[in-house]
């Protein structure tokens, strides 16, 4: 096993610690995670590239020897950006269903931004802003979220991790979202990046969901564009690390074991 740690980058709206049960399944690999993107000096404005800078700074500060980057959704795209900019810091990239949409979608988001309409016409941003953000107790949140179709496929412990780490005490009483709805909406209504990826010099493995957020045509385009990468499929939807944490971790460890055997 490599001495390099796995550095996990989370999805939009899900703090890194909310993946605790999933990350525990990666043992004996050492793991670390980004707590919450975009909460400090690296602010999302027009696109996600500041978050790649945040990831790079985290690696330089905490793991100067380099890491294996593991990212889910937002975190997968951010990891891909970071790996293209600073390949010497990343031994390998493992990308869990990255929402890397095509130029048509990106141009539409850009146009809506220019017109000041991105939040109004982006359903994910609207949903984030409408999200219930305050609960009197963890039990209230458990009952409320447990009835949502989004959370029903979650592994029970992953759901409990989200309750524990997706909320934090509100100074005025009760509990509030650890990942602010305003930040989540800002990310959803922003472009994924500007310009093109640099020539990729970091090996990457893409694990796409059976019900991926990416249409088949976009997946085919990525397979051609990133022809040196390896593509896999995992049963379930976009949140498969939370739905099937044991199976997802087993696939990742198999990929990494094969990678170590080839060195």
């Amino acid at each position: 096993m490599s001495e390099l740690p796995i550095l996990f980058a989370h999805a939009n709206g899900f703090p890194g610690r909310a993946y605790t049960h999933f990350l525990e399944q990666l043992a004996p690999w050492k793991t670390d995670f980004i707590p919450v993107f975009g909460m400090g000096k690296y602010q999302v404005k027009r696109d996600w590239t500041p978050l790649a800078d945040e990831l790079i700074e985290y690696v330089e500060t905490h793991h100067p020897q380099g890491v294996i980057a593991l990212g889910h959704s937002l975190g997968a795209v951010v990891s891909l950006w970071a790996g293209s900019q600073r390949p010497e810091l990343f031994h390998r990239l493992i990308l869990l269903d990255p929402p890397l949409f095509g130029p048509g979608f990106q141009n539409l988001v850009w146009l809506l931004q220019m017109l000041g309409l991105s939040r109004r016409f982006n359903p994910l941003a609207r949903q984030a802003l409408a999200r219930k953000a305050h609960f009197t107790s963890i039990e209230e949140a458990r009952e409320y979220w447990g009835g949502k179709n989004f959370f029903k496929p979650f592994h029970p412990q992953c759901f409990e991790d989200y309750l524990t780490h997706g909320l934090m005490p509100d100074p005025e009483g009760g509990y509030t979202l650890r990942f602010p709805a305003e930040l989540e909406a800002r990310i959803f209504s922003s472009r994924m990046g500007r310009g093109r990826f640099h020539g990729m010099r970091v090996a990457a493995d893409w694990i796409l969901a059976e019900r991926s957020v990416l249409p088949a045509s976009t997946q085919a385009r990525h397979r051609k564009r990133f022809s040196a990468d390896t593509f896999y499929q995992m049963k379930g939807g976009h949140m498969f690390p939370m739905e099937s944490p044991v199976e997802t971790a087993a696939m990742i460890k198999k990929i990494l074991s094969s990678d170590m055997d080839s060195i």
Side-chain angles (χ1 to χ4, degrees):
M1 188 183 74
S2 170
E3 292 300 319
L4 294 178
I6 296 172
L7 178 61
F8 179 73
H10 60 76
N12 191 15
F14 284 78
R17 197 173 292 277
Y19 291 82
T20 294
H21 183 66
F22 163 61
L23 294 177
E24 287 175 347
Q25 308 311 306
L26 294 171
W29 290 84
K30 296 177 181 178
T31 59
D32 191 8
F33 57 87
I34 301 296
V36 180
F37 275 120
M39 293 285 283
K41 65 180 181 180
Y42 294 103
Q43 296 289 314
V44 174
K45 295 179 180 178
R46 294 291 184 182
D47 57 49
W48 297 357
T49 50
L51 304 185
D53 295 332
E54 182 174 4
L55 178 59
I56 288 170
E57 183 181 271
Y58 190 92
V59 176
E60 290 177 328
T61 302
H62 297 87
H63 306 287
Q65 76 279 15
V67 299
I68 296 165
L70 171 63
H72 176 220
S73 193
L74 164 73
V77 177
V78 170
S79 296
L80 191 60
W81 274 108
S84 73
Q85 295 173 37
R86 295 290 303 278
E88 74 278 8
L89 294 176
F90 300 92
H91 172 75
R92 192 174 199 87
L93 309 176
I94 301 181
L95 313 174
L96 308 181
D97 213 40
L100 187 63
F101 295 104
F105 179 86
Q106 293 249 44
N107 290 337
L108 175 60
V109 173
W110 175 83
L111 178 61
L112 291 174
Q113 284 180 325
M114 294 300 100
L115 297 174
L117 300 172
S118 55
R119 296 196 180 193
R120 180 178 176 184
F121 289 99
N122 186 307
L124 294 176
R126 292 203 309 271
Q127 289 172 18
L129 291 174
R131 191 181 314 286
K132 183 175 174 62
H134 187 274
F135 298 90
T136 57
S137 66
I138 297 295
E139 186 54 42
E140 182 193 358
R142 180 181 291 107
E143 182 177 350
Y144 179 81
W145 281 331
K148 301 294 184 182
N149 289 332
F150 179 83
F151 289 102
K152 286 181 179 178
F154 276 36
H155 183 283
Q157 186 56 54
C158 291
F159 181 55
E160 289 299 316
D161 285 342
Y162 182 68
L163 289 170
T164 301
H165 304 296
L167 293 169
M168 64 180 183
D170 188 325
E172 297 183 4
Y175 294 83
T176 190
L177 296 174
R178 188 177 299 276
F179 199 114
E182 164 63 29
L183 174 58
E184 184 180 355
R186 196 185 328 142
I187 291 172
F188 276 136
S189 57
S190 301
R191 286 176 291 162
M192 284 156 276
R194 54 181 178 266
R196 296 180 178 273
F197 287 102
H198 304 161
M200 291 300 296
R201 289 181 285 156
V202 183
D205 297 276
W206 300 55
I207 305 179
L208 302 177
E210 185 178 46
R211 299 188 303 278
S212 175
V213 295
L214 295 177
S217 59
T218 303
Q219 293 184 38
R221 188 181 302 116
H222 289 335
R223 289 175 185 270
K224 182 176 181 180
R225 180 184 183 187
F226 299 95
S227 57
D229 296 347
T230 307
F231 289 77
Y232 304 86
Q233 187 178 80
M234 175 63 66
K235 291 183 179 180
H238 181 61
M239 297 301 295
F240 65 82
M242 295 294 212
E243 297 170 2
S244 305
V246 176
E247 294 81 358
T248 304
M251 178 177 285
I252 292 168
K253 289 196 287 187
K254 185 175 181 180
I255 290 170
L256 291 176
S257 294
S258 298
D259 178 41
M260 293 302 107
D261 290 343
S262 66
I263 295 177

